[in-house]
Amino acid sequence: MNQQLQQQPNRKPRTFWPSFFGSCLGVFLTGFICTILFSIFTVSFLSALSGGKGGSGDVKGVKDKSVLYLKLDYDLNDRTEDNPFADFDIDEFSTKPGLIDLRRTIRYAATDKRIKGIYLEASVVNAGMASVEELRKELEDFKKSGKFIYTYGEYFTQKGYYLASVSDGIYLNPMGGMELKGLAINLMFYKRMLDKIGVQAEIFRPTGNKYKSAVEPFFLEKASEANRDQLRALIDDYWTELLEKFSKKTGLKPEELNNIANTAPYIDVDHANFSQFITKSLYYDEFAEMLKEKCEIDKKKDLNLISVEKYYTAVRRKLEKSGKNKIAIVYAEGEIVDGKGKSDNVGGDTFVKAIRDAREDKDIKAVILRVNSPGGSAMASELIWREVILTKAVKPVVVSMGNYAASGGYYISCAADTIVADKTTLTGSIGVFSVAMNIQKLMEDKIGITSDTVKTNKFSDFPNITRPWTEDEKLIYQKQVDKIYRTFLQRVSDGRGIPVTMVDSIAQGRVWTGIDAKELGLVDVIGDMETAMDITKKMIGSDDVEYVIYPEYKDKWSELFGGFSSKASEAFVSRQAFEFVKYYKFVQDARNLKGHQTRIPFMIEIY
């Protein structure tokens, strides 16, 4: 091509006009996008000036005789993700309220004369067991207002039915069904895969930490007896809780429910109706007509359904109350990591600053640390623990545990004045581990890459993943994890007032439910976030409070231009792929493990 151009120097390249028009198109598109963004800025700015949809005037967007439509098909986190498009009436961009705000929204609806009741669609509930328990409690309180809660679905999972069991009536599609099969935890092990590809895992955990099973997939092909024992105890507690609510709703005894689970785990409509699991089988149009009748709406008119997302957007300003005394709520949600982290994990640096800011703010009278974390970095956990200690010295610190507050999640909690946990919270897991990989065989035998080292001292190239570790090198790592474990035990001992030997006997990496942790002294009170709030109010001697949220992440416009957070980006994933996202994220988190870890080894999903 170069030779051809040299022979015809006066000929213009054929790519000029495509490039020219491409540039014009690029300028046009840029201008178009800027115009849209400017419009968004203008509308949101004017909305902010007028107080938004839920300003100081009447709540807008809510019709008389409305029914609040509650469908939990999104990942229910504790904290509401900031949404730059919240003021726009676009379903795909509506704000999904977190658990705390969702409860407040339902509470507000109980007093809103325009809301006649709740239509709960509980076929799928993407929330942890403790979150479902908190939400269920809020729905029970809602019923005290005299308003109805009716559930309709085409299929109910066990967790969905657990939430639905609070309803005044449960209605199932005539072709639908429900499951009652018991609980199970499925674990994956990688040892054979590592053997095949030529990777050897070096495992380090303190002596006696037999329950710290996060390392088992790397050197075992099935769960150890210790791990099986702790997991069986865990799901037995969960199952007992579900059976209790199922029994209360249906009138069937737990042994009868267990018999169904062992003989007919899938329950069709006829069986569900006969066994009193449901009120009646209906098609949706029949269910809608029933709701119209309950709301005294003419059959010829449409049913006024308002989704909880839209209702939250409409009333959120009303939920924000000012008070004489400020209480900080620090949301520690997600894996504990080193550095700043992101909005979906607990970055050590970010949370150190958040707790410090709350401590140094004279207007903040107390701190509530809401922990929903499986743990993570031992160093980051230690740094956050230190800030809790410093804060506790000058103002009350109360911990509210969500679905998980285990390992590092317990580490950052143990120094608090009071620890509140749900009875189904997964906590404890007091222990530490570290994993290192030797990829020498993979490099040499599979890929054909060899390595060599020139060094000045014995440990100059340590740690090194391209060769086996020496016994002296393994001893160094072992001493480190032993030291971290001893420190962890001492932190718990000091915070809970329990002798170190006693802590060690209930630690060793073992997970406990909140109810068991209460009996062991690891938790003070069985309750939820509202319980923690009430305790904190008593500590400061006032009910006139205002809650301030920490940590502060990017404002919504910085989030827009800086790239959506991982939670926001998941909104663009198709609903069919939703279940894969959380597992993909779990794998990504595992790949990013650095240093010694205080975390639990598994995700527990109850359906």
Side-chain angles (χ1 to χ4, degrees):
M1 181 66 179
N2 289 339
Q3 183 179 4
Q4 182 181 12
L5 289 176
Q6 289 173 2
Q7 293 174 350
Q8 303 177 27
N10 295 325
R11 183 176 179 180
K12 294 181 180 180
R14 295 181 179 179
T15 58
F16 171 77
W17 288 111
S19 299
F20 173 77
F21 287 116
S23 300
C24 291
L25 180 60
V27 172
F28 173 77
L29 290 176
T30 301
F32 180 71
I33 292 172
C34 289
T35 301
I36 293 176
L37 292 176
F38 177 76
S39 299
I40 293 175
F41 272 116
T42 303
V43 173
S44 296
F45 178 70
L46 293 176
S47 176
L49 289 178
S50 63
K53 289 186 177 180
S56 58
D58 292 336
V59 176
K60 298 180 180 180
V62 184
K63 298 178 181 179
D64 289 332
K65 299 181 180 180
S66 289
V67 176
L68 185 62
Y69 176 44
L70 177 57
K71 183 178 182 179
L72 297 174
D73 59 344
Y74 63 93
D75 197 4
L76 184 61
N77 300 294
D78 282 342
R79 182 174 180 172
T80 302
E81 183 79 1
D82 188 32
N83 184 356
F85 302 107
D87 291 329
F88 294 89
D89 190 17
I90 303 174
D91 289 339
E92 293 302 322
F93 294 111
S94 59
T95 299
K96 309 292 186 182
L99 175 64
I100 310 304
D101 283 334
L102 179 59
R103 293 190 62 182
R104 295 165 67 202
T105 302
I106 294 171
R107 198 172 310 145
Y108 187 88
T111 64
D112 191 339
K113 295 180 180 179
R114 307 178 196 191
I115 300 296
K116 295 299 181 182
I118 291 177
Y119 160 26
L120 173 64
E121 185 176 331
S123 297
V124 177
V125 180
N126 291 313
M129 192 62 186
S131 294
V132 175
E133 181 68 25
E134 286 201 33
L135 183 56
R136 193 180 186 282
K137 180 179 181 298
E138 194 62 52
L139 292 173
E140 284 182 332
D141 291 340
F142 177 88
K143 289 173 61 177
K144 296 176 183 178
S145 66
K147 300 181 180 182
F148 64 78
I149 299 178
Y150 290 118
T151 297
Y152 179 82
E154 298 172 354
Y155 182 83
F156 295 129
T157 60
Q158 292 177 139
K159 191 161 54 176
Y161 188 81
Y162 176 72
L163 183 61
S165 63
V166 73
S167 305
D168 298 293
I170 301 177
Y171 301 89
L172 189 62
N173 184 283
M175 290 296 291
M178 61 175 290
E179 62 182 25
L180 185 69
K181 59 182 182 180
L183 304 178
I185 297 175
N186 187 44
L187 305 174
M188 291 189 295
F189 294 82
Y190 323 122
K191 183 180 182 302
R192 288 188 183 181
M193 179 195 72
L194 295 177
D195 290 343
K196 287 182 178 181
I197 65 175
V199 174
Q200 179 184 354
E202 298 287 358
I203 308 301
F204 303 93
R205 57 180 176 177
T207 303
N209 272 215
K210 59 184 179 180
Y211 296 105
K212 201 65 178 175
S213 54
V215 295
E216 289 188 356
F218 300 106
F219 73 97
L220 295 179
E221 295 183 7
K222 63 179 182 179
S224 66
E225 287 303 314
N227 193 21
R228 295 183 68 86
D229 288 345
Q230 69 170 338
L231 295 183
R232 181 57 190 266
L234 186 70
I235 59 177
D236 279 349
D237 283 352
Y238 284 175
W239 185 235
T240 299
E241 174 65 21
L242 265 64
L243 288 179
E244 178 185 331
K245 296 299 190 296
F246 293 172
S247 178
K248 184 177 180 181
K249 184 66 177 178
T250 64
L252 298 173
K253 296 179 181 180
E255 52 268 30
E256 293 176 297
L257 293 168
N258 271 319
N259 183 58
I260 293 174
N262 290 328
T263 56
Y266 179 81
I267 304 173
D268 61 22
V269 170
D270 293 336
H271 191 183
N273 201 5
F274 177 77
S275 301
Q276 299 180 352
F277 282 103
I278 64 173
T279 306
K280 193 176 182 181
S281 62
L282 294 174
Y283 288 103
Y284 176 75
D285 60 286
E286 296 174 314
F287 176 73
E289 290 300 318
M290 186 199 72
L291 289 183
K292 286 182 185 180
E293 184 178 342
K294 293 291 181 181
C295 296
E296 299 179 344
I297 296 175
D298 191 288
K299 292 184 178 180
K300 296 181 180 179
K301 294 183 178 181
D302 293 332
L303 180 66
N304 297 328
L305 283 182
I306 182 169
S307 68
V308 71
E309 294 90 347
K310 288 186 177 180
Y311 187 69
Y312 169 70
T313 299
V315 305
R316 63 183 304 175
R317 306 290 184 191
K318 294 288 185 179
L319 304 178
E320 299 171 1
K321 296 181 180 179
S322 59
K324 183 179 180 181
N325 301 288
K326 293 183 179 180
I327 295 176
I329 299 179
V330 183
Y331 284 100
E333 188 167 16
E335 184 181 4
I336 299 174
V337 299
D338 296 314
K340 292 184 177 181
K342 299 178 181 179
S343 60
D344 60 349
N345 57 30
V346 183
D349 294 348
T350 298
F351 277 79
V352 164
K353 182 180 184 302
I355 298 173
R356 182 184 301 143
D357 288 346
R359 179 177 72 250
E360 295 177 350
D361 189 336
K362 295 181 181 179
D363 294 330
I364 300 292
K365 305 301 181 184
V367 175
I368 297 176
L369 181 60
R370 172 68 175 187
V371 181
N372 201 348
S373 171
S377 166
M379 177 57 73
S381 299
E382 169 73 7
L383 296 177
I384 296 172
W385 169 86
R386 176 61 180 171
E387 288 303 318
V388 172
I389 285 289
L390 295 175
T391 303
K392 178 183 174 182
V394 296
K395 58 187 65 173
V397 177
V398 175
V399 164
S400 169
M401 293 180 169
N403 299 310
Y404 300 91
S407 204
Y410 190 79
Y411 199 123
I412 66 177
S413 303
C414 65
D417 293 293
T418 303
I419 299 177
V420 180
D422 187 273
K423 52 188 173 183
T424 58
T425 295
L426 193 154
T427 188
S429 192
I430 301 167
V432 61
F433 71 88
S434 190
V435 179
M437 297 295 180
N438 169 19
I439 64 171
Q440 184 181 43
K441 289 185 178 180
L442 170 63
M443 299 290 285
E444 294 181 359
D445 299 343
K446 308 296 183 180
I447 305 177
I449 298 176
T450 59
S451 64
D452 199 359
T453 304
V454 178
K455 57 185 181 180
T456 60
N457 295 86
K458 181 178 180 180
F459 299 111
S460 294
D461 66 333
F462 174 70
N464 192 329
I465 65 172
T466 63
R467 61 168 176 78
W469 285 16
T470 67
E471 292 303 316
D472 288 342
E473 289 170 338
K474 293 178 183 179
L475 183 60
I476 291 173
Y477 247 54
Q478 187 62 50
K479 287 182 177 180
Q480 288 179 344
V481 296
D482 287 342
K483 180 180 179 180
I484 293 172
Y485 181 59
R486 290 194 301 269
T487 301
F488 198 167
L489 294 178
Q490 191 63 55
R491 300 287 184 251
V492 177
S493 176
D494 294 340
R496 306 305 302 155
I498 304 174
V500 172
T501 53
M502 176 62 180
V503 177
D504 183 43
S505 69
I506 60 177
Q508 300 177 22
R510 177 154 188 166
V511 294
W512 304 97
T513 58
I515 196 72
D516 290 334
K518 171 70 165 57
E519 295 179 1
L520 296 171
L522 297 176
V523 166
D524 295 302
V525 179
I526 296 298
D528 54 19
M529 184 65 169
E530 294 299 318
T531 307
M533 290 176 171
D534 291 339
I535 291 173
T536 309
K537 290 176 189 176
K538 290 180 181 179
M539 285 182 167
I540 66 173
S542 176
D543 288 328
D544 185 15
V545 300
E546 175 183 348
Y547 296 104
V548 183
I549 306 302
Y550 290 87
E552 296 180 5
Y553 292 109
K554 294 179 181 179
D555 62 83
K556 60 184 180 181
W557 301 118
S558 297
E559 194 74 31
L560 175 63
F561 286 102
F564 293 107
S565 70
S566 59
K567 290 180 185 176
S569 63
E570 286 176 9
F572 293 93
V573 179
S574 65
R575 293 181 183 237
Q576 290 81 3
F578 182 85
E579 287 297 317
F580 296 98
V581 172
K582 51 192 172 187
Y583 292 107
Y584 171 76
K585 185 177 182 300
F586 181 75
V587 172
Q588 290 296 100
D589 290 342
R591 288 179 58 192
N592 294 329
L593 295 181
K594 296 180 181 178
H596 306 299
Q597 298 290 311
T598 52
R599 61 164 294 156
I600 56 175
F602 37 72
M603 294 188 303
I604 294 180
E605 295 290 339
I606 298 177
Y607 297 97

